[in-house]
Amino acid sequence: MDSFTTPLLAGTATGALLLIAALGLALTFGQMGVINMAHGEFLMAGAYTAFLTQQVVTNADVSILVALPAAFVVAGLLGLLLEVTVIAWMYRRPLDTLLVTVGVGLFLQQLAKDVFGAQGDPVRTPSWLEGNLPVFGYHWPYRQMFTIVLAVVALAALAALLKYSSFGRQIRATVQNRDLAETVGVRTRAVDRITFFVGSGLAGIGGVAVSLISGTNPRLGTAYIISAFLVVVAGGLGQLKGTVIAAFAVGIATSFFADWTSASMAQVATFALVVVFLQLRPQGLFTVRSRGLA
Amino acid sequence: MKLDHATPDEVGLDYLEIRDLTVQFDGFTAVDAVDLTLIQGRVHFLIGPNGAGKTTLVDAVTGLVPATGQARYRNQNLLAMRSHRIVRAGIGRTFQTATVFEQLSVLQNLDIAGGVHRSPFALLRARRGVPSYVADALETVGLADLRDKPAGVLAHGQKQWLEIGMLLVQDAKVMLLDEPVAGMSAEEREETGALLQRIGKERTIVVIEHDMDFVRSFADVVTVLHAGKVLTEGTVAEIQASPEVQEIYLGRIVEGVVEEGADHA
Amino acid sequence: MRTAVRTFGPLVAIAALAVLLLVVAPAVLSPFRLNNLGKYCCWAIAAVGIGLAWGRGGMLVMGQGVFFGIGGYAMAMHLKLEAAGPEGVPDFMMLYGDGTMPVWWEPFRSGAFTLFAIVALPAVAAAILGYAIFKRRVKGAYFAILTQALAVVFATLLIATIQETGGFNGLNQFTFFFGYNLYDPVNKKMVYSIAAALLIGCLVVVWQLYRSRFGELLVATRDAEERVRFLGHDPANVKLAAFVIAAVMASIGGAMFAPIAGIISPSDVDATASIFLIAGVALGGRALLLGPALGALAVGYGRSSLSESFPDQWTYFLGALFIVVILLFPAGLGSAFGRAAALVPLPRRKETTS
Ligand SMILES: Nc1ncnc2c1ncn2[C@@H]1O[C@H](COP(=O)(O)OP(=O)(O)O)[C@@H](O)[C@H]1O
Ligand SMILES: [Mg+2]
C-alpha cells in the first residue's frame, strides 16, 4: 500500500503546486497568446516575500497569513510592470514576447542572487502546519495538504471570478474574440493588464507554498516552471479544467516515476509522456476551436 | 446540356464523385449527405445562402475538416487523405479570403506552387530563370506586368487571379474556387469568367458564388446548397425556374446576410 | 550585374570572414585569445543552425544545447578513451564508480564511429522528436517550450549519471585529438582552424539553402504554414528538414567545443546554455545569412570579456540583451545596420529597374 499511497499523495501535492503555477500561465497564454517565461521568477518572488515577511512578522504562525496576500500583490505588481513596460509593446509577436520574458527571468534570478545570496534561506513553518496525517501508512505532512488547500481555494476563486464577475465576462469575451469585444466596449488592454496581475499574483501564492516546503533560493522558479509549462501544453487552452487535470496528472505521474526510478529519470519520463500525449491530442486536453486557416 | 442526359463518353476521366458526404461540428450538421458529380470540361457552380455549407464542403474534399461519406477521384477516396496528398492527386483550391505569400513576388508565388512537380533534390537548387509552365500561367492569368511585385501589394481581384495561376502551375485537374469574384468590379468579374471558361476545357472547375448575374453568364451546371443539403441541380434556367430556389434567395436572403456577418467576426 | 551581386555578394562576405578567421586571427591573436575565438566559432556554428530553424523556419528552438551536447559528449567520450589508451577506462569512472565502463561507450573508441555519431545521433534524435511534434502540428510557443523542456531534462539526466557521463563536472582533461597532442600550441591552432573552417562550411551550406527553392519554401512555411499544405507539401517535412540540419550543426559545434574548451559539462548544454546560443542569433539578425554567426561571435566575446571583469554581471547583460534587442531590434542589429545603409543611395540604381 505504501508504495502506492506515498507517491499518490505526495504527487497530489506537487500537482497542486503545479496547478497554482500553471493557472496564471494558462490564463495569460489563453487570453493574450503570451507565454511568460519569467513566471517562475514570480514564483521565486513569492517565496522571498514569505521570507521577508518572516523578518518583519517574526511569529511564523501569523506571518504566513500576511505573506499570502503580500506575495500575491508583489508578484502581481511585477507582472503588471512587465505587461506595461514590455509585453504591451510586443503585441502579436508571441514568440518574441516569450524570448523577452526569458531575458526578464534571467535578470530577476541574478538580482535575487545578488540581493539574497546564491544559497537560499529557510522559511519557518507555522506550528499549525507542523505534523502530519497518517494515511495508509504514509505520514502526509500538513504542509503538503496546505498546498492542496491553497490550490483549491485559488482555483475556486479564479473560477468564480471568471464566471460571475463582470471582469470575468470581459476576460472571456476578450479570449473568444478580441476585436468583437473591443467593438462592444470592452477595454481589452485594461483587461489584459488585470489578467496579467492576477495570473502573476497566483504565481506569488505558489511561491509561498513552495517556500514552506523547500525554503527560498534564486533558482527556485526554474525547478517548477518547466513542469508548469508542460501542464499548460498538455492541458490545452481556454478552459481551466484542462489545466487542473493536467496539473494533477503531471504531478502524480512524476511522483510515481520518481518512486520507481529516480527523480531525474522521472523528469525524462514525464517529458516523454507529454510528447506521447500530444500525439493523441495535439491541442491538449481541451481547446476552444477556431475556424479557418489560422 | 443537362446533367442527367450526359452520356458516358461525355463524362471525362477526371470527374469527382461525392457520395453521402456529411460534416458535423459538435453535433451540428454543416454538410448533410451531399451527393455531387463534378465532370471535367464544365464550369460547375455551387450556390446557396451564407452558412449553407459550401465552404465546408470544399474544406471536407480538401482535407481541412473531417467528414464521412465518399469523395472519389481517380479511384481514391479523398476523405481518407491528408491535404497535401489531395493536392498532389490533382485537386486544388482557393480560399474565400485570398491567401498568397505576401512577401514573395508574383513570380515567386507561382514558382513555389510548382514544387509538387519537383524532386526533393531539385528543391535544393536555386531557381534559375522562369520555368515555362510558370511563364504560361503568368500570361494566362494576366499578371505578366506585375511579375516582380510583392504579392502583398496586389489588389484583391489580382490576388484571386494569382491564386488561380498557382493552381495552374500546380496543374490542378480539379479546381475548387471559393468565392473568387467576391468584391471584384464588374469588369474584373467578366475577365475572371472568361479566364475560367478558357482554363475549364480540360479541367473540372467548381466555383462557389452568390452573384446570380455571374452565375448566369458562366455556369454550365449549378448546384444549390441549402442548410447543408443539395436542394436542386441543373442548368441556370432550370435553377432560376425552381420555386424552392426562389424562396431561399428571395425569402431568406436577409437571414443569410446576418449569418455572414457573424461568420466573419 | 545586379543579380550577380545579389547572388554572389554573400559569398564574398563569407570569403571575407574566412580570411579573417583562418588567416588574420591566427596571425595576430595570442594562443589564449585564439582558443577563445575557437569557442565562439563553435557557438557560431550552432547559431547558424538556429538562424535556419528560427530565422527562416520560424521554429523557436530553445533546446539546441541538447544537440550541442550530443556532439560535444560524443567527441568528449572519444577523447577520454583516447586519453585512457587502448583498453583503458576513463579516469573519472574509476573515481566515481567501480571502474567498469558502460557498453555504449565502447564504440566511441573508434574515431570514425565518433565522427559518424556526431552527425547521425543528433539527426536521428531531432528527426524523432521533430516528427512527433511537427506531424501533429504542434508549433509556436508549444514547440519552444517542448524544446526547452528537452534541454532541462537532458541536463538533469547528465547530472544524475555521474558514473557514465561525469555528472555535474562533465568530461574534461583531454590529452589527444585524433592522435594530436592537445598540449602542443601548434595542434591547438589546428583544432581552432578546423572549427573556423567548419563555421565557414556551415555558412556556405545555409547560403545555398537560402537561395534554393527549399529556402523559399521554408520561409513560406514560416509565414503561412497551412497555405503550404495546399501547394502539395507537408509543412511538417519542410520544418523537419530545417530542424534536423540545425541539430546537426549544433552537434558539430559541440563536437569542436569539447577539444577547444577542454571540457563539456551540463552547464554547457542546459536550458540556460541553449538560451545563450539564441542570444547571438537574435543580436545578429535571425533571418540574415551572416547575422547569427556574427552575433554569436560577438556575444561569445562579450561573455568572455565581461565574465573576466565582472563574473556575475554577465547574466544581467544577457537578460538585458534579450529585452533590448528583441523589443527594439527584432530583426537584429544586422538588419538595423542594413536599413541604415539602405538610406544611403546606392550608385547605379538604374540597373535595378528591369
Ligand atoms: N469549424 C467549424 N465549427 C463549427 N461550425 C462551423 C465550422 N465551420 C463551419 N461551421 C458552420 O457550418 C455552417 C456552414 O458554413 P460554411 O460552409 O462556411 O457556409 P458557406 O460557405 O456556404 O457560407 C455555418 O453554419 C458555419 O457556422
Ligand atoms: Mg463560404
Side-chain angles (χ1 to χ4, degrees), chain A residues 289-292, chain B residues 24-26 28-31 48-59 65 96 178-179 208 210 225 228 259-260 263:
Chain A
R289 241 170 293 165
S290 64
R291 281 195 74 181
Chain B
Q24 290 197 321
F25 295 115
D26 302 320
F28 166 73
T29 308
V31 176
N50 275 305
K54 307 180 296 290
T55 300
T56 306
L57 178 64
V58 170
D59 284 353
V65 300
Q96 213 160 329
D178 197 352
E179 306 201 13
I208 295 180
H210 294 279
L225 221 57
E259 276 182 39
E260 177 78 340
D263 209 70

Side-chain angles (χ1 to χ4, degrees), chain A residues 37 93 96 114 264 279 282, chain C residues 132 136 148 160 226 286 316 326:
Chain A
M37 299 293 280
R93 283 165 54 195
D96 283 3
D114 286 352
S264 43
Q279 300 302 297
Chain C
R136 299 303 287 159
Q148 195 186 25
E226 293 307 310
R286 59 184 91 158
Y316 286 123
I326 308 245

